């Protein structure tokens, strides 16, 4: 069953708290991504991971870091969350670099108060 | 770099209306062009793609065409249903970079 799973679906944090968003995929895809989606801005790429411990900054990496220790898991970490990081975060995976079809999770709605 | 632009932020239609969404692109090549759809509460998913070979893609009643002359591509459906309410993203596949380039999306609201 081809699936990208994100946990949690909803999260409320206070400014300054640390945040961990987790993503898993069951397709053995090499490449995984973290995006955030905000009204009027579409999907903005935060990080790309090409495989275990092979991560690269996307377009808006500031304030975020990632961890990929297993091919099927990719985590997004916000150290000391800020209110402007309130957003919907999507994880995606694809079979390799440069592929056009991304498989997205259902998203995590993060509110930083 | 490559880019896509969607000027229509929102489109509101009634059931059985004709849908037309426009997107313009900028790239140094004649690429494959993509449409993604995002239903409420879900992540985006690939709806269809248009290649230079056929200039047209069809999926789930949607038709996508593109016009090299005006560097634009369009998504059409003859008769929309309430279940088509979603956000539609045009996109360019990875070329010089490893990332899909997404537009900002067009929200389609279809009322019964």
């Amino acid at each position: 069953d081809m699936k990208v799973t994100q946990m949690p679906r909803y999260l409320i944090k206070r400014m300054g708290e640390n945040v961990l968003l987790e993503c898993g995929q069951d397709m053995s895809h090499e490449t995984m991504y973290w995006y955030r989606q905000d009204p009027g801005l579409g999907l903005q790429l935060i990080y790309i991971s090409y495989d275990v411990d092979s991560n690269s900054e996307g377009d808006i990496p500031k304030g975020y870091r990632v961890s990929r220790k297993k091919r099927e898991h990719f985590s997004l970490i916000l150290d000391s969350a800020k209110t402007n990081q309130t957003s919907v975060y999507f994880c995606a995976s694809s079979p390799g670099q440069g592929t056009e079809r991304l498989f997205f999770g259902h998203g995590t709605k993060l509110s930083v108060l | 770099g490559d880019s896509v632009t969607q000027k229509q932020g929102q489109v509101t239609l009634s059931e059985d209306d004709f849908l037309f969404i426009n997107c313009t692109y900028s790239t140094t090549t004649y690429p494959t062009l993509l449409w993604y759809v995002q239903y409420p509460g879900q992540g985006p998913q690939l709806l269809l793609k248009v290649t230079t070979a056929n200039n047209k893609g069809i999926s789930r009643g949607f038709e996508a065409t593109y016009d090299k002359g005006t560097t634009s591509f369009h998504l059409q459906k003859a008769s929309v249903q309430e279940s088509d309410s979603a956000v539609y993203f045009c996109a360019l596949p990875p070329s010089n970079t490893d990332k899909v380039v997404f537009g900002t999306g067009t929200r389609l609201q279809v009322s019964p």
Side-chain angles (χ1 to χ4, degrees):
Chain A
D1 192 22
M2 297 170 10
K3 199 168 20 175
V4 176
T5 304
Q6 291 186 239
M7 295 292 291
R9 290 294 302 271
Y10 302 92
L11 188 60
I12 299 174
K13 287 287 191 177
R14 296 193 179 279
M15 191 170 59
E17 291 185 327
N18 298 331
V19 178
L20 173 65
L21 304 184
E22 302 204 78
C23 175
Q25 50 100 358
D26 60 4
M27 297 168 279
S28 297
H29 284 169
E30 291 180 352
T31 310
M32 296 186 74
Y33 313 77
W34 278 105
Y35 288 87
R36 63 178 282 176
Q37 183 176 27
D38 301 288
L41 297 179
L43 295 160
Q44 297 176 274
L45 180 63
I46 305 171
Y47 268 93
I48 302 176
S49 175
Y50 299 108
D51 212 328
V52 172
D53 285 331
S54 179
N55 307 317
S56 181
E57 295 181 344
D59 298 320
I60 54 161
K62 187 177 179 182
Y64 303 95
R65 62 184 174 93
V66 293
S67 175
R68 192 164 179 205
K69 298 302 182 183
K70 293 183 179 180
R71 178 171 279 193
E72 62 269 24
H73 289 132
F74 191 31
S75 301
L76 180 69
I77 301 124
L78 289 66
D79 295 314
S80 188
K82 300 173 179 53
T83 55
N84 62 8
Q85 293 178 308
T86 292
S87 187
V88 181
Y89 291 87
F90 286 97
C91 174
S93 71
S94 67
Q97 298 178 37
T99 55
E100 62 199 22
R101 185 178 182 187
L102 305 184
F103 294 80
F104 283 86
H106 279 58
T108 294
K109 186 171 183 178
L110 172 66
S111 297
V112 182
L113 306 178
Chain B
D2 294 350
S3 66
V4 288
T5 302
Q6 291 182 257
K7 292 187 176 179
Q8 297 163 287
Q10 176 147 338
V11 173
T12 303
L13 298 172
S14 300
E15 279 195 327
D16 298 324
D17 280 351
F18 173 72
L19 170 68
F20 183 89
I21 297 176
N22 186 57
C23 180
T24 57
Y25 66 90
S26 174
T27 178
T28 56
T29 63
Y30 291 120
T32 297
L33 302 168
L34 312 172
W35 284 98
Y36 275 76
V37 59
Q38 182 182 22
Y39 297 105
Q42 297 183 25
Q45 56 185 278
L46 183 63
L47 175 61
L48 47 73
K49 64 181 183 181
V50 184
T51 67
T52 55
N54 58 19
N55 288 344
K56 184 184 289 187
I58 297 175
S59 175
R60 306 185 215 174
F62 289 88
E63 180 176 306
T65 57
Y66 86 98
D67 185 337
K68 294 179 214 175
T70 59
T71 62
S72 61
F73 56 127
H74 321 294
L75 184 68
Q76 307 176 99
K77 189 174 186 185
S79 176
V80 294
Q81 302 303 304
E82 190 177 6
S83 58
D84 294 323
S85 296
V87 180
Y88 293 83
F89 294 94
C90 59
L92 294 174
S95 57
N96 298 321
T97 65
D98 295 325
K99 61 180 186 179
V100 173
V101 178
F102 288 96
T104 51
T106 297
R107 180 176 298 277
L108 171 65
Q109 183 67 46
V110 181
S111 54

